[in-house]
Amino acid sequence: MDLTTGIPAVDTVLVWGGVISLLATVVTVLWRAVRALAHFAGRAGQFFDDWYGEEGRPGVPERQGVMQRLGELEDGLAHLRHEVRPNSGESLRDAVDLANRRLARLCPDPEDEGARPPEPPSAL
């Protein structure tokens, strides 16, 4: 089977057109791959900057890394645990329990009256 048109100028244009199309396709695929890789590298860089933190520089304050921020969060949680558990009378939970006991003495619940005897009045 003969793959030529019989006109050498047309055959040359077709061959070079095929080569140029193939090269354009390869360049386009490579360009898109490089662009995607550069975008991914930029995002990875942002992630690692957030993870490890950044030192301050002129005009930009220092940012702590994730582990430092989690350590500070853990300190805050310790304070929160102190407030929501009954302890020596200084927590929010102790204050709520005291208010509930006082309210129960002032306004007893009719459903609970048979369940327990009322507490003796004490100095508030």
Coordinates of all heavy atoms in Angstrom, one line a residue, residues 3 26 36 39-40 49 55 65 72 75 84 86-87 90 94 103 118-119:
L3 N 1.6 5.0 0.8 CA 1.1 6.1 1.7 C 1.4 7.5 1.2 O 1.3 8.4 2.0 CB 1.6 5.8 3.1 CG 1.2 4.5 3.8 CD1 1.9 4.4 5.1 CD2 -0.3 4.5 3.9
V26 N 3.1 16.7 22.9 CA 4.1 16.4 23.9 C 4.4 17.6 24.8 O 4.4 17.5 26.1 CB 5.4 15.8 23.3 CG1 6.5 15.7 24.3 CG2 5.1 14.5 22.7
A36 N 1.0 21.2 37.2 CA 0.3 20.5 38.3 C 1.3 20.2 39.4 O 1.0 20.3 40.6 CB -0.3 19.2 37.8
H39 N 2.0 23.4 41.4 CA 0.9 23.7 42.2 C 0.9 22.8 43.5 O 0.7 23.3 44.6 CB -0.4 23.5 41.5 CG -1.6 23.8 42.3 ND1 -2.0 25.0 42.6 CD2 -2.6 22.9 42.8 CE1 -3.1 25.0 43.4 NE2 -3.5 23.7 43.5
F40 N 1.1 21.5 43.3 CA 1.2 20.6 44.4 C 2.4 20.9 45.3 O 2.2 20.9 46.6 CB 1.4 19.1 43.9 CG 1.5 18.1 45.0 CD1 0.4 17.7 45.7 CD2 2.7 17.6 45.3 CE1 0.5 16.8 46.8 CE2 2.9 16.7 46.3 CZ 1.8 16.3 47.1
D49 N 4.7 24.8 56.2 CA 4.8 26.0 56.9 C 3.8 26.1 58.0 O 4.2 26.5 59.1 CB 4.6 27.2 56.0 CG 5.8 27.5 55.0 OD1 6.9 26.9 55.3 OD2 5.6 28.2 54.0
E55 N 9.0 31.6 61.5 CA 9.6 32.6 62.3 C 9.1 34.0 61.8 O 8.8 34.1 60.6 CB 11.2 32.6 62.2 CG 11.7 31.3 62.8 CD 13.2 31.3 62.7 OE1 13.8 32.4 62.5 OE2 13.8 30.3 63.0
G65 N 3.8 26.5 65.2 CA 3.5 25.2 64.5 C 2.3 24.5 65.1 O 1.8 24.9 66.2
E72 N -0.8 24.3 73.7 CA -1.5 25.3 74.3 C -3.0 24.9 74.5 O -3.6 25.3 75.5 CB -1.4 26.6 73.5 CG 0.0 27.2 73.6 CD 0.1 28.4 72.7 OE1 -0.9 28.9 72.1 OE2 1.2 29.0 72.7
D75 N -3.3 22.8 77.5 CA -3.4 23.6 78.8 C -4.7 24.2 79.0 O -5.2 24.2 80.1 CB -2.3 24.7 78.7 CG -0.9 24.2 78.6 OD1 -0.7 23.0 79.0 OD2 0.0 25.0 78.2
V84 N -15.4 21.9 85.0 CA -16.6 21.1 84.8 C -16.7 19.9 85.7 O -17.7 19.1 85.7 CB -16.8 20.7 83.3 CG1 -17.0 21.8 82.4 CG2 -15.6 19.8 82.9
P86 N -16.6 18.4 89.8 CA -16.7 18.9 91.2 C -15.3 18.8 91.8 O -14.6 17.8 91.7 CB -17.7 18.0 91.8 CG -18.2 17.1 90.8 CD -17.4 17.3 89.5
N87 N -14.9 19.8 92.6 CA -13.6 19.7 93.3 C -13.8 20.5 94.6 O -14.7 20.3 95.3 CB -12.5 20.3 92.4 CG -12.8 21.6 91.8 OD1 -13.5 22.4 92.5 ND2 -12.4 21.9 90.6
E90 N -14.4 25.6 94.0 CA -14.0 26.7 93.2 C -14.4 26.6 91.8 O -14.2 27.6 91.0 CB -12.5 26.9 93.4 CG -12.0 27.2 94.8 CD -10.5 27.3 94.8 OE1 -9.9 27.2 93.8 OE2 -10.0 27.5 95.9
D94 N -19.2 23.3 90.8 CA -19.6 23.4 92.2 C -20.6 24.5 92.4 O -21.5 24.4 93.2 CB -18.3 23.6 93.1 CG -17.4 22.4 93.1 OD1 -17.9 21.3 93.0 OD2 -16.2 22.6 93.2
L103 N -32.0 26.0 95.2 CA -33.2 26.1 94.5 C -34.2 24.9 94.9 O -35.4 25.1 95.1 CB -33.0 26.1 93.0 CG -34.2 26.2 92.1 CD1 -34.9 27.6 92.4 CD2 -33.9 26.1 90.7
P118 N -36.7 16.3 102.9 CA -36.1 17.6 102.7 C -34.9 17.9 103.6 O -34.9 17.3 104.7 CB -37.3 18.6 103.0 CG -38.2 17.9 103.8 CD -38.1 16.4 103.5
E119 N -34.0 18.6 103.1 CA -32.8 18.9 103.9 C -33.1 20.0 105.0 O -34.0 20.8 104.7 CB -31.6 19.4 103.0 CG -31.2 18.4 102.0 CD -30.0 18.9 101.2 OE1 -29.5 20.0 101.5 OE2 -29.8 18.3 100.2

